[in-house]
Structure formats: C-alpha cells, structure tokens
Amino acid sequence: MLRAAQIVVILLTTSFSLQVLSEEHKVAIASAHPLATAAGFEILAKGGNVFDAAVAVSAALAVVEPFSSGLGGGAYWLLHREKDAFEVLIDGREKAPMAAHKNMYLDKEGKVIDKLSLDGPLSAAIPGMPAGLVHLSKQYGKLPLSESLLPAIRYAQTGFAVGERYLKLLKFREAVIHHYPETAAIFLDKGKLPERFSLLRQPDLAKTLSNLANSGREGFYSGSTADKLVESVNKAGGIWTKNDLESYQIIERKPVTGVYKGLKITSTGSSSSGGVVLIEALNILAGYDLSKMDELTRKHLITEAMRRAYHDRSLYLGDEDFINIPLKRLLSEDYAAGLRSSIRLDKALPSELMSGQIELQTEGLNTTHFSIIDDEGNRVASTLSINFPFGSGFVAEGTGVILNNEMDDFDSYPGATNGYGLIGGIANCIEPGKRMLSSMTPTFLESDTDIAVLGTPGGSRISSMVLLAALDFEKGNGPESWVKVPRYHHQFMPDVIEYEEGALSEPELTSLKSMGHQSKKVRYPYGDMQAVLLNKKTKSLLAASDQRGEGRAVVGK
Ligand code: DON
C-alpha cells in the first residue's frame, strides 16, 4: 500500500484516459468504477467492438473492485448484436465442486453450521468468470484477449487508489480477511485497514491475468494457476479438484423475454432467477393502469407483485440443468392474471398464507454491474459477482485471486434461508456440479423509440430494483432517473417491505400498515445501478451511474 501523495498521478491518469474515445462510433458505458469505464474506452479506441469493451470492463472491475467480482467468481453477460439481431446470455455462473453434497454445511442435528457457507474456501464454488472472458472475447470480440486484458493487467501491476467503498467493505469483512494471511497481505496495510487513497497493487493477480491473456482458459483452469488454486484451497479446508477446474464450462443460454405495455424485456433465465422474477412481476402489473393510480395504491400493488414473483422463485427456481422449471407457466400472462386475481386493492396478503417461514434479512453485501451500448444498438448488460464483499475472504496462495462464497446462494436444506434471507426448496439444494440460483438481472428494455441496458448488484433486491427502474422507464423517464429511484423491496419472506429513506412517506407507511403490510427502513441505501440508453431514431446516447456508488458513466464520440 502506498500513501495518499502517491496517487495524484493515478487520479490524473484516470481522467486522461477517459478522453481516449472511439472515433468510429459513439458508445455509452456505465460501470461501477471510473477505471473500468476507462478500460472499455481504451479498448474501443484500439478498434475493439462493444464485446471487447465488455471483456476489458469485466477484467478491470475484477482488479479495481476486488470486493465485488473477479477471476475467482462468476458473471452473466447478456449480448445483443445488431447486424443479425443475435441475442445470447453467457452463463458464467460458478458451479459446485464435484465433492459438494447436500448436507455439507449442516451439523449432525441437521442445523446449519454458522459461516461455513460464507467464509473460507469451503464456501467457494468453481469460478466461471475466466472461462466467460475467454469465450466472450473469442466468439464475439474483434481483438485478441491479450489486448483486451491489458488495462486490467496494468491496473493490477501499477496499482490504483482505493476509495471509500473499498474501505467500508474491507471493514465489514475484516475478521475473515485477518484469518487468511495471503488475503491480509494484499488488502490490508501491515495488518491494519489502509488509509483512504492508498495505492493497492496486486502483482500476483497481474500474473494470473497475464496467464489468462496468453494461454486462454488453460491459463486458469489447468497448469500452474490451477495447481496453486487446488493446492491452497485444499490446504485450508476446501474440496476442489483439478478435474473440477478442467471440466468447468460456460453455457450459452436463450435469454428470457416478455412484454410489458409495449416494452420488450430481455433478461436472465436459469441459472439466475432475475429475469423470471422481473417478467412475472411485470406481467402481474400489466393488468393495472398504474399511471392513473395514487402513489400508495401503486406501491401496494408493486409490492404484491414482488411478493408473488419472489414466492415462485423460492418454489420453482434453480439450475435448469438439474431440475425442471415450469418456465412457460411462470412467464405466461394468463398465469400472471391468475396471481393478480388474488390481489386486493385495500389489503396485503400475508406471505405465511402462501407458505414458508419468516427469517431476517442481512445487509451490506456486494457484486457489480456494467452496461454498454453503441449507436448501432450493439449492447452488453453484465452483472458479475463473488457474492459477499471480498467473497469468501480467501485468496489462493500466489494467484492474487480472491475466491467467491457463492455456495451460500444454494439452500443448505429445503426451506433454509441464505445470506439474503431468501428462502428456497429442493430446486436450489446443493448437488455436485450444479449452479446455485442467482438473482442477477442484467437486462435490455426496448420501447418503440428507445433501447435501455441496465442492471445492479444487491443480492435478493436486484430484481426488485430492476423492476422499479423498468416501471420508471415505462413512465417516460431516462437513465438518470432510473438509477435514482428511491427503492423498496418485498421478497415474500421475510414478510416485510424493506425501503430506503425517502421511498415511503410517513402517511404511506401508516396506510400500508393499516392494509396489513409490515415495513422496515434499511440502514443504508442499496444497489449500484449502471444504465445506458439509445434513442433509435436520433441515435443519441445517455448513460447514468448510481450516485449511491462510485461509478462513472460516459458517452464517447
Ligand atoms: O447471484 C446472486 O444473486 C448473489 N450472489 C449476488 C450478490 C450481490 O448482488 C451482492 N451485492 N450487493
């Protein structure tokens, strides 16, 4: 770690590199970190297309937001190529190692052992991010991976100034980081929390990224990096094998789609619940004219739609390669009409009358998102994660790679709640080689006039945030407004509306209570939405980055 005076140069470099913009096409990029946005433009300036830029932004985020995502984690990349209207979801979600089993986090009495699915290498699933980057670059990019990874490698080698968010999240995970000396040596300053604006250099990570750049997937999933990963994971109590790494494959999936009042929605299906929850909630709401309703009724109905969509999440959703998902039903407008018929305008439906139990929700978690669109309409929405801030807190020796704790997104037993208070059943129980159910919701929205690309971190609240943004888009507002919308959330269990300061007024809270809703103000604002917009006719672009975070949105010419 270096001190504040040494980072002025880095900050200057940041604003300088933002001026290096593609001459061919205008492009809008919104990401959670200025250096990641700059990395995207740097690659565009070298002749890359939006998919190369997505590789550069993803890899840069892995370096400059080591608490959010990384080579030790997973991601979804939703792509649209304009010339042939090709759309695909690259599912780079982590997979359970083959030695994983359904009782692995339970004691002899069948109770969940505290923190076992959250801290240390036993909580880490087999990463998908490196394979996703290789695939994205090879199949859809114009530049070689070795070129697109350069900005990330440079950031890891020369370092960057850590911001408030880094320090806040480091503090949140300080205990587990102290427990693993390799992690502490990288992220702490001689065992203490570093000063704001200290320089964080990650030379081991730079080497691992270079291996990936030079050797493709073999640079991570076999050879010396894989050896180091497997050895140190097992030494510290994990259960990875070389075969787990070698056999990891990304999956190209068909995105899920829906239509809400003329707005086309394209988003994630299995192994994420994101798009299904979003579309099901919108289908329920499609039967109302929200624009003619008072704010209170609007919020009540949106909450009831969330409740029903999250309820189905807990009943039916998991990895479609392992279970049968009644997708047609969940996305059907007729099914939504049935759910709508159980909604009263004056009264909440208690979740316990639907099923399940009430548990408390934890707070203060992390992940990241970026959105890119060019003036032709080529676009990428990508949400990337290692789950909790600094994932499992475990860095495999000599790799600089912080491993995820995504195993916690499984249900440790049917009906168990995870770190987000989400409740799930058999559909999302642990099985060897299975992908754990995600909430990540990278999304495209298309109206007659505009195309939007958006998404956010936020655990279980991701889909409800994208839902509120989609409704705001439908109202006629732009990205600046969507990222600002005061947020509220209902996820079926716990049966409570969680809301940010300002999202529900005092009179609304009183009325909601009398309708049977419980509400709880969250301690901190949540989410870090990144959104871009293309006007189809004028080709003008807009970009916005959530003020709750430290991101940067830029439209370049
Ligand atoms: O895949 C998921 O749904 C979670 N692992 C995402 C975690 C997350 O967004 C935390 N962010 N604040």
Side-chain angles (χ1 to χ4, degrees):
M1 284 276 174
L2 299 186
R3 303 280 167 215
Q6 292 167 280
I7 56 86
V8 176
V9 179
I10 310 273
L11 289 177
L12 288 176
T13 320
T14 310
S15 47
F16 170 74
S17 47
L18 285 172
Q19 308 308 315
V20 186
L21 302 172
S22 163
E23 285 183 6
E24 254 186 71
H25 283 294
K26 276 196 297 176
V27 181
I29 303 182
S31 91
H33 198 287
L35 287 173
T37 302
F41 280 108
E42 184 178 323
I43 288 309
L44 291 167
K46 288 191 173 153
N49 60 19
V50 297
F51 308 119
D52 296 304
V55 173
V57 175
S58 306
L61 286 168
V63 176
V64 298
E65 277 197 315
F67 46 82
S68 275
S69 67
L71 295 187
Y76 297 95
W77 293 269
L78 180 62
L79 316 182
H80 174 97
R81 189 172 55 207
E82 188 59 25
K83 68 170 190 236
D84 52 0
F86 172 78
E87 274 181 355
V88 74
L89 174 72
I90 300 178
D91 179 340
R93 180 69 162 168
E94 300 91 330
K95 292 177 75 162
M98 291 311 283
H101 56 92
K102 70 177 178 8
N103 296 331
M104 65 188 279
Y105 300 119
L106 305 181
D107 64 16
K108 286 198 187 95
E109 273 97 57
K111 293 209 184 78
V112 175
I113 303 169
D114 195 30
K115 305 240 167 71
L116 211 55
S117 66
L118 287 171
D119 294 349
L122 195 61
S123 66
I126 306 303
M129 167 92 157
L133 291 177
V134 172
H135 184 79
L136 179 56
S137 170
K138 212 154 131 185
Q139 292 296 315
Y140 303 103
K142 273 164 66 184
L143 300 179
L145 183 65
S146 52
E147 185 97 41
S148 306
L149 292 186
L150 277 178
I153 295 171
R154 196 175 66 239
Y155 296 156
Q157 250 158 9
T158 56
F160 68 98
V162 300
E164 280 300 342
R165 201 172 171 90
Y166 175 90
L167 297 176
K168 199 175 109 197
L169 297 171
L170 195 59
K171 191 149 185 259
F172 177 68
R173 293 292 270 159
E174 208 180 340
V176 63
I177 286 171
H178 274 300
H179 193 76
Y180 295 110
E182 184 84 8
T183 319
I186 299 171
F187 300 114
L188 298 176
D189 185 6
K190 299 191 193 73
K192 301 229 163 60
L193 286 178
E195 279 177 36
R196 189 167 166 216
F197 294 145
S198 298
L199 191 72
L200 173 62
R201 296 181 64 241
Q202 301 170 84
D204 284 343
L205 182 58
K207 263 188 268 157
T208 304
L209 278 163
S210 301
N211 284 345
L212 189 68
N214 300 329
S215 312
R217 60 169 289 144
E218 283 71 38
F220 186 89
Y221 293 93
S222 45
S224 65
T225 306
D227 288 345
K228 284 183 206 157
L229 287 167
V230 171
E231 201 187 309
S232 56
V233 160
N234 284 295
K235 214 162 76 184
I239 51 170
W240 289 14
T241 64
K242 282 204 204 166
N243 183 49
D244 284 328
L245 287 170
E246 266 160 21
S247 59
Y248 181 88
Q249 295 291 345
I250 58 96
I251 300 182
E252 287 215 336
R253 299 188 193 272
K254 198 165 152 260
V256 295
T257 54
V259 179
Y260 174 76
K261 302 193 189 237
L263 201 68
K264 184 181 173 213
I265 306 124
T266 307
S267 192
T268 42
S270 171
S271 54
S272 178
S273 60
V276 179
V277 169
L278 173 66
I279 292 170
E280 189 176 325
L282 285 169
N283 282 346
I284 295 171
L285 292 170
Y288 303 107
D289 189 352
L290 294 178
S291 68
K292 296 226 167 70
M293 287 172 175
D294 61 85
E295 268 301 288
L296 174 70
T297 311
R298 228 178 104 82
K299 286 175 179 168
H300 163 67
L301 291 175
I302 293 169
T303 301
E304 289 302 309
M306 288 177 187
R307 181 198 306 279
R308 283 154 180 80
Y310 275 93
H311 179 233
D312 278 349
R313 178 198 198 277
S314 71
L315 289 181
Y316 301 115
L317 298 184
D319 181 349
E320 72 179 8
D321 298 336
F322 284 72
I323 55 158
N324 289 322
I325 299 178
L327 196 61
K328 202 167 153 209
R329 170 149 65 97
L330 297 178
L331 297 178
S332 135
E333 290 170 20
D334 292 336
Y335 175 66
L339 294 174
R340 193 185 313 122
S341 69
S342 70
I343 298 179
R344 286 177 55 166
L345 282 174
D346 61 337
K347 205 165 181 295
L349 173 69
S351 290
E352 64 183 348
L353 296 185
M354 299 171 85
S355 77
Q357 57 187 312
I358 296 175
E359 293 284 339
L360 289 176
Q361 161 100 8
T362 56
E363 293 178 35
L365 310 164
N366 229 281
T367 288
T368 194
H369 177 91
F370 68 86
S371 298
I372 306 182
I373 191 164
D374 70 13
D375 57 10
E376 288 184 329
N378 299 301
R379 52 196 183 263
V380 180
S382 176
T383 314
L384 314 96
S385 183
I386 50 174
N387 200 24
F388 270 37
F390 293 91
S392 62
F394 181 81
V395 172
E397 225 172 298
T399 64
V401 175
I402 187 140
L403 302 185
N404 67 84
N405 63 349
E406 220 72 71
M407 288 296 285
D408 189 66
D409 277 351
F410 279 119
D411 286 87
S412 292
Y413 59 85
T417 52
N418 71 2
Y420 306 97
L422 282 169
I423 191 165
I426 303 275
N428 189 35
C429 276
I430 304 172
E431 288 185 64
K434 189 174 177 182
R435 285 169 157 85
M436 57 297 298
L437 185 61
S438 173
S439 299
M440 291 191 259
T441 317
T443 296
F444 303 147
L445 302 171
E446 184 166 358
S447 67
D448 288 348
T449 50
D450 298 288
I451 300 169
V453 181
L454 70 161
T456 178
S460 57
R461 299 179 188 138
I462 293 176
S463 328
S464 68
M465 284 187 258
V466 176
L467 172 67
L468 295 178
L471 292 170
D472 199 49
F473 177 37
E474 196 272 328
K475 259 183 174 174
N477 291 324
E480 282 291 347
S481 169
W482 319 331
V483 302
K484 261 200 217 126
V485 169
R487 293 169 179 152
Y488 55 97
H489 169 77
H490 196 295
Q491 61 180 46
F492 155 63
M493 289 286 181
D495 190 352
V496 59
I497 307 176
E498 294 168 311
Y499 65 98
E500 286 182 329
E501 174 87 57
L504 303 175
S505 66
E506 281 307 321
E508 280 170 352
L509 284 165
T510 311
S511 304
L512 286 167
K513 193 166 176 204
S514 69
M515 295 162 95
H517 289 288
Q518 295 188 55
S519 311
K520 179 178 149 210
K521 186 161 86 182
V522 295
R523 271 188 292 165
Y524 307 105
Y526 60 89
D528 193 8
M529 187 170 279
Q530 310 297 330
V532 294
L533 177 86
L534 168 69
N535 182 292
K536 293 198 269 192
K537 199 157 154 226
T538 63
K539 304 288 178 209
S540 61
L541 293 165
L542 292 172
S545 183
D546 202 322
Q547 286 168 6
R548 296 165 183 83
E550 298 172 350
R552 173 86 47 100
V554 175
V555 176
K557 194 160 184 234

